[in-house]
């Protein structure tokens, strides 16, 4: 069997590695002309780390990132709203609450692929299925043919939009900036992933290796808002100046070229991930808001499960049906829970915000841990 993967992000590279390990000839076509060492941090929960372990790369990934002890939510004054110790879950399900620079994860995955696997500068424009093959037409006029096409080309997937024209990304109501910076000399807890829920918006801070900090900031705003597009690190710092330290200092130390901005969106759960010999994977299939830190995690799961199904079932149609069955309900649940959590975290009304914080503080920890355990039990 020959497989083609459209998209060289985390999901696409993991799928390529998994398929090659299953003995399937695989080529990845990526639209970008080159891989840049850009991007921000990415959080990987125990389910993703289990997937990377099955791909044989977990030790190298661990060497490049940092495992943290807790997920902590603060209010604007720095008072705890929620504090979930993740060490017990790590002991039970393996490495958990792990953060790494996205470029480092990319580098590890690329190193394990067969030489020549990734072809850059190939933007997919159209696909066509003919009996037992799929043909992909690229923007440069070239084309490629395979027995299986894996669409891993993100939330705005060209392949998905051709197959399901009404699968349009849904704006979540808030926009987001991210960056990785050198610690400007502020004191942070180097063993926690911290998030602050404030009337001004939401800010996350996580330590990386080499005294670097990954941060993100989300603000309620209209979609494609010009004012948000023109936001600078200095303006962001002023916006959050009344939030507890060191939020303002971390935002202010960011340079404009380090700043990544995008509106937050997800996909309404799809009825199908498989269309003949075309299979959707990662954000192309089930893009989710980042509130549960499960976007990359679910893409890694997809890759492992897809390869397992193809290896276990010699009939392609049955293998792909099995993949869809194993992935559809699980990812739909993540989409829905993550969107709800984001809505609650972004309540603007001060009274509702105080009520939310009070309820979260009173919530028994076992409830939150049980929800996390549901995520970490993967049917690999």
């Amino acid at each position: 069997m020959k497989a083609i993967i459209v998209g060289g992000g985390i999901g696409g590279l993991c799928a390529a590695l998994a398929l090659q390990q299953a003995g399937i000839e695989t080529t990845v076509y990526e639209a970008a002309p080159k891989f840049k060492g850009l991007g921000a941090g990415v959080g990987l929960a125990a389910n993703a780390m289990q997937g990377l372990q099955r791909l044989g790369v977990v030790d190298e990934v661990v060497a490049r990132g940092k495992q943290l002890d807790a997920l902590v939510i603060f209010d604007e004054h720095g008072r705890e709203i929620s504090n979930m110790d993740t060490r017990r879950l790590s002991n039970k399900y393996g490495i958990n609450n792990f953060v790494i620079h996205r470029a480092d994860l990319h580098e590890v995955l690329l190193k394990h692929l067969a030489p020549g696997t990734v072809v850059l500068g190939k933007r997919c424009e159209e696909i066509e299925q003919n009996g037992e093959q799929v043909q992909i037409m690229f923007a440069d006029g070239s084309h490629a043919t395979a027995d299986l096409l894996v669409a891993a080309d993100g939330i705005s997937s060209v392949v998905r939009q051709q197959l399901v024209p009404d699968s349009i990304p849904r704006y979540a109501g808030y926009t987001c900036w991210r960056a990785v910076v050198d610690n400007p000399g502020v004191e942070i807890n180097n063993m926690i992933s911290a998030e602050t829920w404030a009337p001004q918006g939401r800010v996350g801070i996580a330590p990386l290796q080499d005294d670097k900090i990954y941060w993100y900031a989300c603000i309620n705003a209209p979609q494609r808002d010009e004012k948000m597009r023109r936001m600078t690190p200095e303006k962001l710092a002023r916006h959050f100046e009344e939030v507890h330290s060191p939020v303002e200092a971390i935002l202010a130390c960011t340079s404009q070229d380090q700043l990544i901005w995008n509106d937050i969106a997800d996909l309404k759960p799809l009825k199908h991930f498989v269309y003949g010999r075309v299979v959707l994977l990662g954000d192309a299939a089930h893009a989710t808001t980042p509130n549960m830190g499960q976007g990359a995690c679910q893409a890694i799961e997809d890759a492992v499960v897809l390869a397992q199904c193809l290896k276990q079932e010699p009939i392609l149609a049955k293998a792909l049906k099995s993949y869809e069955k194993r992935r559809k309900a699980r990812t739909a649940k993540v989409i829905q829970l993550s969107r709800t959590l984001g809505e609650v975290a972004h309540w603007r009304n001060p009274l509702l915000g105080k009520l939310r914080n009070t309820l979260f503080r009173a919530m028994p920890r076992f409830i939150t841990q049980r929800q996390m355990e549901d995520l970490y039990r993967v049917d690999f």
Side-chain angles (χ1 to χ4, degrees), residues 54-357:
R54 281 158 178 76
L55 294 176
V57 298
V58 73
D59 290 341
E60 290 176 63
V61 171
V62 168
R64 306 285 286 269
K66 188 176 180 69
Q67 183 177 6
L68 305 177
D69 291 341
L71 298 165
V72 186
I73 301 174
F74 298 97
D75 67 14
E76 65 271 26
H77 305 295
R79 296 184 299 238
E80 282 188 10
I81 295 173
S82 171
N83 185 335
M84 191 178 77
D85 187 327
T86 53
R87 286 172 293 187
R88 188 184 71 82
L89 292 171
S90 296
N91 292 334
K92 189 173 181 180
Y93 295 100
I95 297 166
N96 183 36
N97 193 9
F98 181 84
V99 288
I100 186 172
H101 197 296
R102 194 173 288 265
D104 287 333
L105 177 56
H106 238 101
E107 195 173 298
V108 171
L109 295 171
L110 282 168
K111 188 172 74 171
H112 282 265
L113 293 172
T117 295
V118 180
V119 183
L120 299 172
K122 291 288 187 178
R123 183 177 298 279
C124 173
E125 281 201 336
E126 189 180 359
I127 65 163
E128 186 176 309
Q129 299 196 60
N130 298 304
E132 295 185 355
Q133 289 199 313
V134 187
Q135 188 173 65
I136 301 94
M137 279 67 78
F138 299 104
D140 62 4
S142 64
H143 67 271
T145 304
D147 307 296
L148 172 68
L149 169 63
V150 180
D153 50 341
I155 188 171
S156 299
S157 168
V158 170
V159 177
R160 187 195 69 249
Q161 289 177 345
Q162 181 180 331
L163 296 168
V164 194
D166 61 348
S167 62
I168 300 168
R170 308 180 296 183
Y171 181 49
Y174 42 95
T175 195
C176 187
W177 297 261
R178 295 164 290 144
V180 171
V181 298
D182 291 318
N183 188 323
V186 300
E187 187 176 334
I188 65 169
N189 187 330
N190 277 310
M191 293 311 297
I192 69 167
S193 177
E195 187 166 280
T196 297
W197 293 358
Q200 296 89 337
R202 192 161 46 117
V203 181
I205 295 171
L208 295 172
Q209 284 191 1
D210 303 321
D211 205 26
K212 293 185 181 295
I213 295 172
Y214 163 48
W215 67 261
Y216 57 87
C218 301
I219 297 175
N220 290 346
Q223 189 173 12
R224 292 184 289 274
D225 186 86
E226 189 62 25
K227 180 182 175 183
M228 298 295 109
R229 188 186 68 80
R230 294 197 303 266
M231 190 73 81
T232 63
E234 294 77 16
K235 289 178 181 177
L236 267 177
R238 285 198 299 272
H239 180 85
F240 288 99
E241 63 184 355
E242 293 183 8
V243 175
H244 67 83
S245 63
V247 167
E248 182 184 2
I250 290 173
L251 301 186
C253 83
T254 308
S255 63
Q256 189 65 42
D257 63 338
Q258 290 173 315
L259 201 62
I260 299 169
W261 169 69
N262 61 285
D263 284 341
I264 298 299
D266 66 5
L267 287 175
K268 181 181 177 182
L270 298 175
K271 292 180 179 177
H272 299 287
F273 291 171
V274 175
Y275 300 83
R277 290 176 173 265
V278 179
V279 57
L280 305 180
L281 182 144
D283 282 355
H286 45 72
T288 177
T289 56
N291 305 302
M292 293 175 67
Q294 279 290 313
C297 299
Q298 293 300 312
I300 293 168
E301 284 188 23
D302 284 351
V304 175
V305 171
L306 176 61
Q308 283 182 344
C309 292
L310 290 169
K311 198 171 182 180
Q312 293 164 2
E313 174 52 66
I315 300 174
L316 181 62
K318 289 184 177 180
L320 298 183
K321 187 176 181 180
S322 176
Y323 164 80
E324 182 177 87
K325 184 177 180 181
R326 287 172 64 180
R327 301 303 302 152
K328 199 158 66 94
R330 179 170 170 83
T331 54
K333 185 177 181 180
V334 170
I335 290 171
Q336 290 156 355
L337 286 174
S338 187
R339 191 173 183 90
T340 300
L341 180 59
E343 289 168 352
V344 170
H346 278 270
W347 281 349
R348 279 180 170 174
N349 185 297
L351 292 177
L352 284 176
K354 287 180 180 179
L355 175 62
R356 172 202 63 205
N357 295 353

